[in-house]
């Protein structure tokens, strides 16, 4: 079952001195001709969730590209700036590299988005390296967990060794395939962001809540990387590793601040209003007003709204959020979402939310509730949570047969993402 109206959605430029002379020899007219060249993007989506894909650069470009009946698409752009772009299909996104004059072709199957994404055409070697790097990092992360048991010095040595190996491999393959120098800057950052994420996770994973304040004994050099460059750069939003890194940074800084304030890590409740306010305060200190701040702050606020049952606390955090953004539409979206969830609290009158079931029958939510009922919410964009909550509900249905458990999907009902999701995961329809 799904909402008919959507309430809510997957990650220092370095100059190569040996190329500077060659770049300076280029005439201005050649650069302008290059920048004004058309860029072509085309491809095919197998098992598409919806009838479009999007391309975004977070600097003004946000383009919706329709899919043909067979899942194919094609679009050309003039004066596209070189760099990373975010290519997305509902429920999935990935970083791709484009530059003026490119003709890039991609193909993927949504049943294994990252694993099947493949490129041909201009800069195909760069883009195929990029997706393979991302898949490899995800695989390595699962095998890295035991390293958090090491001492901080051993941990850093291990992490530095892995990072150096990745950077050396990047240099080697870049030389072999003559990678675009601009691309090297972005690939370098992906490797570093994935390393920095682990550094920020180390204190909590290594010490745990009970001994968290022992992390104050970490040497100053442990976080020295933070001085490397300014992260308040909206183009970094196109870097697939940026958001996981920033989320780790925000959580570590907020937890440390609140643990010190309370005198113990064990007293920190990561679902509490205090902790969420600390996270918003960290975001406020890291980013100036604008899209980066809006994205991270709205994600935290919306997650709190969806998981909290205290109307006063929800309204309190929403007030903090709305004071941080100048985006009128985003303020409206967050306040509307909060009002909807507050109405769903026990003791409140059932709101007249329009829903449709898996047979596409449309109705009011109040029509569907016939007896004692538990409503739970899920989204294909939050897959781990969706699987976890459905497993829990499966047990509860057996334990409490007198209660009706209704799952409400929050994805866009106009497409088929939600329908394919419950079929893919074999959820109870």
């Amino acid at each position: 079952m799904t909402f008919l109206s959507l309430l809510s959605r997957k990650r220092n430029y370095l100059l190569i001195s040996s190329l500077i002379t060659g770049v300076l020899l280029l005439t201005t007219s050649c650069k302008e001709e290059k920048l004004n060249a058309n860029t072509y993007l085309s491809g095919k989506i197998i098992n598409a969730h919806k009838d479009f894909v999007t391309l975004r650069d977070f600097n003004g470009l946000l383009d919706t590209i329709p899919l043909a009946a067979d899942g194919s698409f094609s679009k050309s752009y003039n004066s596209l700036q070189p760099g990373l772009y975010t290519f997305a299909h509902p429920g999935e996104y990935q970083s791709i590299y484009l530059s003026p004059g490119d003709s890039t072709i991609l193909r993927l199957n949504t049943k294994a988005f990252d694993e099947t994404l493949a490129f041909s055409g201009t800069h195909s070697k760069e883009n195929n390296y990029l997706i393979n790097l991302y898949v490899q990092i995800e695989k390595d992360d699962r095998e890295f967990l035991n390293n958090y048991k090491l001492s901080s010095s051993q941990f850093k040595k291990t992490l530095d060794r892995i990072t150096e190996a990745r950077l050396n491999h990047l240099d080697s393959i870049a030389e072999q395939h003559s990678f675009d120098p601009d691309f090297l800057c972005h690939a370098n950052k992906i490797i570093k962001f994935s390393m920095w994420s682990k550094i920020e996770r180390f204190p909590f994973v290594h010490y745990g809540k009970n001994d968290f304040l022992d992390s104050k004994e970490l040497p100053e050099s442990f976080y020295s990387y933070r001085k490397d460059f300014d992260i308040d750069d909206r183009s970094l939003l196109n870097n697939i590793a940026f958001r996981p890194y920033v989320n780790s940074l925000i959580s570590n800084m907020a937890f440390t601040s609140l643990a010190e304030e309370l005198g113990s890590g064990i007293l920190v409740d990561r679902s509490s209003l205090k902790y969420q306010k600390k996270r918003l305060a960290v975001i406020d200190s890291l980013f100036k007003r604008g899209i980066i701040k809006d994205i991270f702050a709205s994600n935290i606020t919306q997650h709190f709204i969806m998981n909290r049952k205290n109307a006063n606390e929800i309204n309190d955090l929403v007030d903090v959020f709305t004071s941080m953004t100048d985006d009128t539409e985003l303020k409206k979206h967050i306040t509307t979402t909060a009002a909807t969830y507050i109405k769903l609290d026990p003791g409140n009158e059932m709101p007249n939310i329009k829903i449709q079931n898996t047979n596409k029958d449309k109705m009011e939510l109040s029509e569907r509730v016939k007896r004692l009922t538990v409503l739970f919410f899920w989204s294909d964009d939050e897959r781990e949570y969706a699987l976890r909550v459905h497993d829990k509900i499966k047990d509860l249905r057996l334990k409490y047969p007198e209660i009706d458990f209704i799952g409400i999907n929050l994805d866009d009902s106009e497409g088929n993402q939600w329908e394919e999701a419950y079929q893919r995961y074999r959820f109870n329809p």
Side-chain angles (χ1 to χ4, degrees):
M1 185 168 293
T2 179
F3 273 116
L4 289 181
S5 56
L6 182 66
L7 291 183
S8 64
R9 303 333 144 153
K10 110 179 215 160
R11 175 125 341 190
N12 277 344
Y13 280 79
L14 302 177
L15 298 178
I16 301 178
S17 58
S18 62
L19 294 176
I20 290 178
T21 304
V23 171
L24 290 177
L25 291 175
L26 292 174
T27 65
T28 303
S29 60
C30 287
K31 287 194 233 181
E32 289 175 350
E33 182 180 346
K34 173 79 171 168
L35 287 174
N36 288 329
N38 283 339
T39 304
Y40 296 91
L41 178 65
S42 61
K44 188 169 185 177
I45 312 294
I46 310 298
N47 295 311
H49 296 316
K50 296 189 70 173
D51 60 356
F52 67 88
V53 294
T54 60
L55 186 70
R56 187 170 192 179
D57 70 351
F58 293 96
N59 271 310
L61 174 66
L62 176 55
D63 190 23
T64 300
I65 309 170
L67 298 181
D70 65 351
S72 63
F73 66 92
S74 180
K75 190 67 180 285
S76 66
Y77 300 91
N78 189 34
S79 303
L80 204 68
Q81 295 296 315
L84 290 182
Y85 288 76
T86 298
F87 175 83
H89 185 62
E92 302 279 4
Y93 70 94
Q94 190 54 259
S95 299
I96 66 173
Y97 182 74
L98 299 172
S99 68
D102 282 2
S103 180
T104 299
I105 306 166
L106 63 86
R107 184 182 178 90
L108 64 89
N109 189 325
T110 61
K111 293 186 182 299
F113 189 96
D114 296 322
E115 291 76 10
T116 62
L117 180 57
F119 294 86
S120 57
T122 320
H123 291 127
S124 59
K125 287 183 170 61
E126 284 92 337
N127 278 311
N128 284 320
Y129 167 83
L130 201 64
I131 187 62
N132 289 333
L133 172 65
Y134 176 73
V135 171
Q136 186 63 46
I137 287 174
E138 278 203 323
K139 177 179 178 293
D140 291 347
D141 283 354
R142 290 190 289 270
E143 299 171 356
F144 188 82
L145 293 176
N146 284 333
N147 290 307
Y148 288 101
K149 297 176 183 178
L150 301 173
S151 67
S152 62
S153 59
Q154 291 174 316
F155 178 83
K156 281 294 292 292
K157 286 179 182 177
T158 301
L159 198 55
D160 288 345
R161 186 174 67 250
I162 294 171
T163 303
E164 183 179 6
R166 283 180 181 160
L167 291 172
N168 287 339
H169 178 255
L170 171 60
D171 290 341
S172 174
I173 199 169
E175 183 177 357
Q176 179 183 350
H177 295 295
S178 301
F179 279 179
D180 189 314
D182 179 62
F183 170 81
L184 286 174
C185 305
H186 301 294
N188 185 285
K189 288 177 187 176
I190 289 177
I191 292 171
K192 288 185 176 179
F193 282 140
S194 69
M195 174 186 72
W196 296 343
S197 295
K198 295 176 181 63
I199 291 175
E200 296 299 335
R201 295 188 195 114
F202 178 81
F204 188 85
V205 179
H206 181 81
Y207 296 101
K209 290 185 69 172
N210 289 2
D211 301 316
F212 183 80
L213 289 184
D214 290 346
S215 66
K216 289 193 292 186
E217 299 172 2
L218 291 172
E220 286 186 19
S221 60
F222 193 75
Y223 296 116
S224 60
Y225 84 87
R226 290 179 181 174
K227 301 190 294 290
D228 272 12
F229 69 94
D230 180 16
I231 62 171
D232 195 5
D233 175 0
R234 64 169 59 191
S235 69
L236 291 173
L237 289 167
N238 295 299
N239 186 307
I240 193 69
F242 178 67
R243 296 193 200 192
Y245 158 66
V246 173
N247 283 327
S248 299
L249 175 66
I250 292 167
S251 296
N252 187 22
M253 294 179 70
F255 197 98
T256 300
S257 175
L258 191 53
E260 291 176 348
E261 186 179 298
L262 297 176
S264 170
I266 199 170
L267 297 177
V268 178
D269 177 2
R270 291 196 291 176
S271 67
S272 69
L273 175 64
K274 277 187 177 180
Y275 178 66
Q276 307 312 321
K277 280 187 169 182
K278 284 289 184 185
R279 293 172 80 193
L280 292 186
V282 170
I283 292 171
D284 206 25
S285 69
L286 291 174
F287 305 108
K288 59 181 179 289
R289 297 175 85 89
I291 191 169
I292 304 184
K293 177 179 284 189
D294 288 349
I295 286 175
F296 288 104
S298 63
N299 285 343
I300 288 171
T301 305
Q302 188 158 272
H303 188 268
F304 185 76
I305 291 169
M306 294 169 64
N307 290 277
R308 205 64 175 173
K309 292 302 178 186
N310 184 308
N312 290 332
E313 290 190 352
I314 289 175
N315 286 327
D316 194 349
L317 195 69
V318 169
D319 286 344
V320 175
F321 169 76
T322 55
S323 71
M324 294 171 61
T325 180
D326 297 321
D327 190 324
T328 305
E329 286 300 313
L330 186 56
K331 286 182 183 181
K332 180 180 178 182
H333 170 73
I334 292 296
T335 54
T336 300
T337 301
T340 300
Y341 273 82
I342 289 171
K343 286 180 181 178
L344 290 172
D345 278 356
N348 289 334
E349 185 178 349
M350 181 70 68
N352 287 323
I353 299 174
K354 294 185 183 297
I355 58 173
Q356 66 181 16
N357 62 21
T358 50
N359 293 323
K360 303 294 180 68
D361 301 320
K362 298 181 180 181
M363 65 192 78
E364 301 281 350
L365 178 60
S366 55
E367 296 177 51
R368 178 63 181 81
V369 177
K370 304 295 185 184
R371 55 176 178 162
L372 185 62
T373 301
V374 170
L375 304 178
F376 64 99
F377 301 86
W378 65 280
S379 167
D380 191 34
D381 293 339
E382 298 287 345
R383 296 181 179 184
E384 289 185 8
Y385 174 78
L387 292 168
R388 191 166 66 248
V389 72
H390 276 83
D391 281 343
K392 180 68 175 177
I393 293 298
K394 189 185 298 182
D395 294 336
L396 292 174
R397 280 195 173 110
L398 294 174
K399 192 174 182 180
Y400 302 102
E402 71 279 10
I403 297 178
D404 199 5
F405 293 89
I406 301 176
I408 298 181
N409 176 271
L410 300 176
D411 299 319
D412 185 357
S413 64
E414 295 305 313
N416 59 357
Q417 178 187 359
W418 67 276
E419 187 175 16
E420 289 187 355
Y422 88 78
Q423 292 174 345
R424 181 166 66 249
Y425 302 133
R426 298 179 182 176
F427 292 158
N428 187 327

PDB file of all heavy atoms in Angstrom, residues 107-127:
ATOM      1  N   ARG A 107      24.593   1.359 -19.648  1.00  0.00           N
ATOM      2  CA  ARG A 107      23.596   0.292 -19.615  1.00  0.00           C
ATOM      3  C   ARG A 107      23.606  -0.305 -18.212  1.00  0.00           C
ATOM      4  O   ARG A 107      24.669  -0.489 -17.612  1.00  0.00           O
ATOM      5  CB  ARG A 107      23.924  -0.783 -20.653  1.00  0.00           C
ATOM      6  CG  ARG A 107      22.883  -1.909 -20.759  1.00  0.00           C
ATOM      7  CD  ARG A 107      23.352  -2.945 -21.787  1.00  0.00           C
ATOM      8  NE  ARG A 107      22.421  -4.060 -21.893  1.00  0.00           N
ATOM      9  CZ  ARG A 107      21.398  -4.106 -22.731  1.00  0.00           C
ATOM     10  NH1 ARG A 107      21.184  -3.090 -23.553  1.00  0.00           N
ATOM     11  NH2 ARG A 107      20.603  -5.158 -22.782  1.00  0.00           N
ATOM     12  N   LEU A 108      22.408  -0.602 -17.679  1.00  0.00           N
ATOM     13  CA  LEU A 108      22.333  -1.204 -16.353  1.00  0.00           C
ATOM     14  C   LEU A 108      21.029  -1.957 -16.177  1.00  0.00           C
ATOM     15  O   LEU A 108      20.054  -1.745 -16.906  1.00  0.00           O
ATOM     16  CB  LEU A 108      22.465  -0.133 -15.264  1.00  0.00           C
ATOM     17  CG  LEU A 108      21.374   0.937 -15.157  1.00  0.00           C
ATOM     18  CD1 LEU A 108      20.237   0.507 -14.240  1.00  0.00           C
ATOM     19  CD2 LEU A 108      21.945   2.258 -14.666  1.00  0.00           C
ATOM     20  N   ASN A 109      21.021  -2.845 -15.189  1.00  0.00           N
ATOM     21  CA  ASN A 109      19.828  -3.575 -14.783  1.00  0.00           C
ATOM     22  C   ASN A 109      19.527  -3.179 -13.345  1.00  0.00           C
ATOM     23  O   ASN A 109      20.385  -3.321 -12.467  1.00  0.00           O
ATOM     24  CB  ASN A 109      20.076  -5.089 -14.883  1.00  0.00           C
ATOM     25  CG  ASN A 109      18.810  -5.902 -14.671  1.00  0.00           C
ATOM     26  OD1 ASN A 109      17.942  -5.545 -13.877  1.00  0.00           O
ATOM     27  ND2 ASN A 109      18.710  -7.017 -15.383  1.00  0.00           N
ATOM     28  N   THR A 110      18.325  -2.679 -13.075  1.00  0.00           N
ATOM     29  CA  THR A 110      18.003  -2.167 -11.740  1.00  0.00           C
ATOM     30  C   THR A 110      18.039  -3.245 -10.671  1.00  0.00           C
ATOM     31  O   THR A 110      18.115  -2.941  -9.485  1.00  0.00           O
ATOM     32  CB  THR A 110      16.616  -1.510 -11.723  1.00  0.00           C
ATOM     33  OG1 THR A 110      15.621  -2.483 -12.071  1.00  0.00           O
ATOM     34  CG2 THR A 110      16.559  -0.350 -12.689  1.00  0.00           C
ATOM     35  N   LYS A 111      17.972  -4.524 -11.068  1.00  0.00           N
ATOM     36  CA  LYS A 111      18.010  -5.598 -10.072  1.00  0.00           C
ATOM     37  C   LYS A 111      19.394  -5.720  -9.444  1.00  0.00           C
ATOM     38  O   LYS A 111      19.561  -6.349  -8.398  1.00  0.00           O
ATOM     39  CB  LYS A 111      17.584  -6.921 -10.706  1.00  0.00           C
ATOM     40  CG  LYS A 111      16.109  -6.948 -11.136  1.00  0.00           C
ATOM     41  CD  LYS A 111      15.688  -8.312 -11.613  1.00  0.00           C
ATOM     42  CE  LYS A 111      14.221  -8.305 -12.088  1.00  0.00           C
ATOM     43  NZ  LYS A 111      13.286  -7.945 -11.019  1.00  0.00           N
ATOM     44  N   ALA A 112      20.414  -5.153 -10.099  1.00  0.00           N
ATOM     45  CA  ALA A 112      21.770  -5.101  -9.533  1.00  0.00           C
ATOM     46  C   ALA A 112      22.417  -3.838 -10.103  1.00  0.00           C
ATOM     47  O   ALA A 112      23.316  -3.912 -10.949  1.00  0.00           O
ATOM     48  CB  ALA A 112      22.561  -6.348  -9.879  1.00  0.00           C
ATOM     49  N   PHE A 113      21.946  -2.683  -9.653  1.00  0.00           N
ATOM     50  CA  PHE A 113      22.266  -1.393 -10.269  1.00  0.00           C
ATOM     51  C   PHE A 113      23.771  -1.178 -10.419  1.00  0.00           C
ATOM     52  O   PHE A 113      24.281  -1.005 -11.530  1.00  0.00           O
ATOM     53  CB  PHE A 113      21.648  -0.275  -9.422  1.00  0.00           C
ATOM     54  CG  PHE A 113      21.714   1.087 -10.047  1.00  0.00           C
ATOM     55  CD1 PHE A 113      20.643   1.589 -10.767  1.00  0.00           C
ATOM     56  CD2 PHE A 113      22.837   1.890  -9.894  1.00  0.00           C
ATOM     57  CE1 PHE A 113      20.689   2.855 -11.336  1.00  0.00           C
ATOM     58  CE2 PHE A 113      22.895   3.161 -10.462  1.00  0.00           C
ATOM     59  CZ  PHE A 113      21.824   3.632 -11.190  1.00  0.00           C
ATOM     60  N   ASP A 114      24.487  -1.180  -9.303  1.00  0.00           N
ATOM     61  CA  ASP A 114      25.920  -0.878  -9.352  1.00  0.00           C
ATOM     62  C   ASP A 114      26.715  -1.968 -10.054  1.00  0.00           C
ATOM     63  O   ASP A 114      27.655  -1.690 -10.803  1.00  0.00           O
ATOM     64  CB  ASP A 114      26.467  -0.677  -7.933  1.00  0.00           C
ATOM     65  CG  ASP A 114      25.845   0.528  -7.250  1.00  0.00           C
ATOM     66  OD1 ASP A 114      25.634   1.533  -7.938  1.00  0.00           O
ATOM     67  OD2 ASP A 114      25.562   0.453  -6.034  1.00  0.00           O
ATOM     68  N   GLU A 115      26.339  -3.218  -9.804  1.00  0.00           N
ATOM     69  CA  GLU A 115      27.104  -4.338 -10.346  1.00  0.00           C
ATOM     70  C   GLU A 115      26.950  -4.475 -11.863  1.00  0.00           C
ATOM     71  O   GLU A 115      27.822  -5.054 -12.524  1.00  0.00           O
ATOM     72  CB  GLU A 115      26.685  -5.639  -9.664  1.00  0.00           C
ATOM     73  CG  GLU A 115      27.081  -5.751  -8.203  1.00  0.00           C
ATOM     74  CD  GLU A 115      26.215  -4.924  -7.268  1.00  0.00           C
ATOM     75  OE1 GLU A 115      25.159  -4.403  -7.736  1.00  0.00           O
ATOM     76  OE2 GLU A 115      26.567  -4.782  -6.097  1.00  0.00           O
ATOM     77  N   THR A 116      25.835  -3.975 -12.421  1.00  0.00           N
ATOM     78  CA  THR A 116      25.611  -4.133 -13.861  1.00  0.00           C
ATOM     79  C   THR A 116      25.856  -2.851 -14.653  1.00  0.00           C
ATOM     80  O   THR A 116      25.831  -2.878 -15.878  1.00  0.00           O
ATOM     81  CB  THR A 116      24.170  -4.601 -14.140  1.00  0.00           C
ATOM     82  OG1 THR A 116      23.236  -3.608 -13.668  1.00  0.00           O
ATOM     83  CG2 THR A 116      23.891  -5.937 -13.466  1.00  0.00           C
ATOM     84  N   LEU A 117      26.080  -1.738 -13.950  1.00  0.00           N
ATOM     85  CA  LEU A 117      26.300  -0.467 -14.640  1.00  0.00           C
ATOM     86  C   LEU A 117      27.598  -0.529 -15.442  1.00  0.00           C
ATOM     87  O   LEU A 117      28.676  -0.784 -14.898  1.00  0.00           O
ATOM     88  CB  LEU A 117      26.356   0.674 -13.623  1.00  0.00           C
ATOM     89  CG  LEU A 117      26.591   2.084 -14.162  1.00  0.00           C
ATOM     90  CD1 LEU A 117      25.533   2.464 -15.198  1.00  0.00           C
ATOM     91  CD2 LEU A 117      26.595   3.098 -13.021  1.00  0.00           C
ATOM     92  N   ALA A 118      27.490  -0.332 -16.749  1.00  0.00           N
ATOM     93  CA  ALA A 118      28.666  -0.402 -17.627  1.00  0.00           C
ATOM     94  C   ALA A 118      28.607   0.723 -18.649  1.00  0.00           C
ATOM     95  O   ALA A 118      27.523   1.128 -19.081  1.00  0.00           O
ATOM     96  CB  ALA A 118      28.724  -1.759 -18.330  1.00  0.00           C
ATOM     97  N   PHE A 119      29.789   1.225 -19.041  1.00  0.00           N
ATOM     98  CA  PHE A 119      29.878   2.375 -19.936  1.00  0.00           C
ATOM     99  C   PHE A 119      30.622   2.021 -21.215  1.00  0.00           C
ATOM    100  O   PHE A 119      31.498   1.155 -21.239  1.00  0.00           O
ATOM    101  CB  PHE A 119      30.629   3.522 -19.244  1.00  0.00           C
ATOM    102  CG  PHE A 119      29.917   4.096 -18.062  1.00  0.00           C
ATOM    103  CD1 PHE A 119      30.070   3.530 -16.800  1.00  0.00           C
ATOM    104  CD2 PHE A 119      29.096   5.209 -18.197  1.00  0.00           C
ATOM    105  CE1 PHE A 119      29.412   4.061 -15.701  1.00  0.00           C
ATOM    106  CE2 PHE A 119      28.445   5.743 -17.101  1.00  0.00           C
ATOM    107  CZ  PHE A 119      28.596   5.171 -15.859  1.00  0.00           C
ATOM    108  N   SER A 120      30.263   2.729 -22.270  1.00  0.00           N
ATOM    109  CA  SER A 120      31.024   2.692 -23.517  1.00  0.00           C
ATOM    110  C   SER A 120      31.051   4.121 -24.054  1.00  0.00           C
ATOM    111  O   SER A 120      30.336   4.994 -23.574  1.00  0.00           O
ATOM    112  CB  SER A 120      30.397   1.724 -24.531  1.00  0.00           C
ATOM    113  OG  SER A 120      29.049   2.066 -24.798  1.00  0.00           O
ATOM    114  N   GLY A 121      31.873   4.359 -25.071  1.00  0.00           N
ATOM    115  CA  GLY A 121      31.986   5.706 -25.608  1.00  0.00           C
ATOM    116  C   GLY A 121      33.081   6.495 -24.920  1.00  0.00           C
ATOM    117  O   GLY A 121      33.978   5.944 -24.277  1.00  0.00           O
ATOM    118  N   THR A 122      32.994   7.829 -25.025  1.00  0.00           N
ATOM    119  CA  THR A 122      34.017   8.707 -24.466  1.00  0.00           C
ATOM    120  C   THR A 122      34.131   8.538 -22.955  1.00  0.00           C
ATOM    121  O   THR A 122      33.137   8.421 -22.259  1.00  0.00           O
ATOM    122  CB  THR A 122      33.686  10.178 -24.781  1.00  0.00           C
ATOM    123  OG1 THR A 122      33.187  10.291 -26.105  1.00  0.00           O
ATOM    124  CG2 THR A 122      34.917  11.056 -24.620  1.00  0.00           C
ATOM    125  N   HIS A 123      35.363   8.530 -22.461  1.00  0.00           N
ATOM    126  CA  HIS A 123      35.654   8.398 -21.032  1.00  0.00           C
ATOM    127  C   HIS A 123      35.022   7.143 -20.419  1.00  0.00           C
ATOM    128  O   HIS A 123      34.741   7.101 -19.217  1.00  0.00           O
ATOM    129  CB  HIS A 123      35.190   9.643 -20.255  1.00  0.00           C
ATOM    130  CG  HIS A 123      35.988  10.868 -20.562  1.00  0.00           C
ATOM    131  ND1 HIS A 123      35.407  12.060 -20.953  1.00  0.00           N
ATOM    132  CD2 HIS A 123      37.331  11.085 -20.579  1.00  0.00           C
ATOM    133  CE1 HIS A 123      36.358  12.962 -21.182  1.00  0.00           C
ATOM    134  NE2 HIS A 123      37.526  12.392 -20.974  1.00  0.00           N
ATOM    135  N   SER A 124      34.788   6.128 -21.249  1.00  0.00           N
ATOM    136  CA  SER A 124      34.225   4.886 -20.713  1.00  0.00           C
ATOM    137  C   SER A 124      35.188   4.224 -19.733  1.00  0.00           C
ATOM    138  O   SER A 124      34.757   3.640 -18.731  1.00  0.00           O
ATOM    139  CB  SER A 124      33.878   3.915 -21.844  1.00  0.00           C
ATOM    140  OG  SER A 124      35.030   3.597 -22.608  1.00  0.00           O
ATOM    141  N   LYS A 125      36.502   4.338 -20.005  1.00  0.00           N
ATOM    142  CA  LYS A 125      37.477   3.723 -19.099  1.00  0.00           C
ATOM    143  C   LYS A 125      37.449   4.399 -17.736  1.00  0.00           C
ATOM    144  O   LYS A 125      37.524   3.746 -16.690  1.00  0.00           O
ATOM    145  CB  LYS A 125      38.877   3.779 -19.714  1.00  0.00           C
ATOM    146  CG  LYS A 125      39.064   2.808 -20.876  1.00  0.00           C
ATOM    147  CD  LYS A 125      40.491   2.848 -21.400  1.00  0.00           C
ATOM    148  CE  LYS A 125      40.731   1.710 -22.401  1.00  0.00           C
ATOM    149  NZ  LYS A 125      39.838   1.801 -23.568  1.00  0.00           N
ATOM    150  N   GLU A 126      37.316   5.730 -17.737  1.00  0.00           N
ATOM    151  CA  GLU A 126      37.210   6.449 -16.466  1.00  0.00           C
ATOM    152  C   GLU A 126      35.948   6.038 -15.708  1.00  0.00           C
ATOM    153  O   GLU A 126      35.985   5.756 -14.504  1.00  0.00           O
ATOM    154  CB  GLU A 126      37.198   7.969 -16.700  1.00  0.00           C
ATOM    155  CG  GLU A 126      38.547   8.578 -17.019  1.00  0.00           C
ATOM    156  CD  GLU A 126      38.815   8.653 -18.515  1.00  0.00           C
ATOM    157  OE1 GLU A 126      38.198   7.865 -19.277  1.00  0.00           O
ATOM    158  OE2 GLU A 126      39.638   9.481 -18.923  1.00  0.00           O
ATOM    159  N   ASN A 127      34.825   6.012 -16.401  1.00  0.00           N
ATOM    160  CA  ASN A 127      33.565   5.710 -15.736  1.00  0.00           C
ATOM    161  C   ASN A 127      33.478   4.257 -15.286  1.00  0.00           C
ATOM    162  O   ASN A 127      32.919   3.966 -14.222  1.00  0.00           O
ATOM    163  CB  ASN A 127      32.392   6.053 -16.659  1.00  0.00           C
ATOM    164  CG  ASN A 127      32.053   7.528 -16.624  1.00  0.00           C
ATOM    165  OD1 ASN A 127      31.915   8.122 -15.556  1.00  0.00           O
ATOM    166  ND2 ASN A 127      31.929   8.146 -17.786  1.00  0.00           N
TER     167      ASN A 127
END
